[in-house]
């Protein structure tokens, strides 16, 4: 964790590690809604149009996965081969959004 702050009715956390920097926002209670079909488990998450995965590329997938797991992040899959030469780890953030970490 690099920093925490408040911006316009939201808590912000800046995370850094494995060659990447992420910014996570959590709006104050009551300011957001969710569409349940966008949060279905894979592969059903592909059915609705819209939000699928936020994708990040990393140089060291094993290291990134280890760091996330050590922090108690919900891992959907780890080190999965998507196609020859492309591996990924998929997680959910605190709001249930899919985050896809890819190495190729």
């Amino acid at each position: 964790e690099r920093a925490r702050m408040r911006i316009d009715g939201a808590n912000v956390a800046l995370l850094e590690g494995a060659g990447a920097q992420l910014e996570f926002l959590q709006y104050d209670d009551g300011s957001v809604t969710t569409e349940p079909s966008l949060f279905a488990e894979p592969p059903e998450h592909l059915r609705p149009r819209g939000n699928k995965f936020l994708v990040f590329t990393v140089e060291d997938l094993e290291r990134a996965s280890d760091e996330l797991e050590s922090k108690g992040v919900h891992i959907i899959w780890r080190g999965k081969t998507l196609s020859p030469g492309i591996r990924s780890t998929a997680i959910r953030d605190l709001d249930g959004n899919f985050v896809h970490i890819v190495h190729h």
Side-chain angles (χ1 to χ4, degrees), residues 33-104:
T33 62
T34 59
E35 171 54 46
S37 64
L38 294 175
F39 297 91
E41 291 298 318
E44 294 301 311
H45 74 292
L46 296 173
R47 291 191 183 276
R49 287 187 178 168
N51 183 19
K52 301 296 184 241
F53 273 99
L54 177 61
V55 181
F56 296 94
T57 301
V58 295
E59 293 180 11
D60 187 338
L61 182 63
E62 191 68 25
R63 180 175 158 211
S65 300
D66 286 346
E67 286 185 28
L68 292 165
E69 191 170 57
S70 74
K71 294 174 180 5
V73 172
H74 175 76
I75 295 180
I76 299 166
W77 67 70
R78 181 184 170 132
K80 182 177 182 178
T81 300
L82 301 178
S83 64
I86 300 176
R87 294 178 53 244
S88 77
T89 292
I91 66 170
R92 282 193 187 264
D93 71 11
L94 294 175
D95 291 323
N97 299 300
F98 293 114
V99 179
H100 197 198
I101 300 129
V102 179
H103 174 81
H104 42 101

Side-chain angles (χ1 to χ4, degrees), residues 1-3 13-24 63 67 71:
E1 183 176 312
R2 186 166 168 230
L14 300 177
L15 306 177
E16 193 171 280
Q21 183 176 11
L22 304 176
E23 178 181 291
F24 288 98
R63 180 175 158 211
E67 286 185 28
K71 294 174 180 5

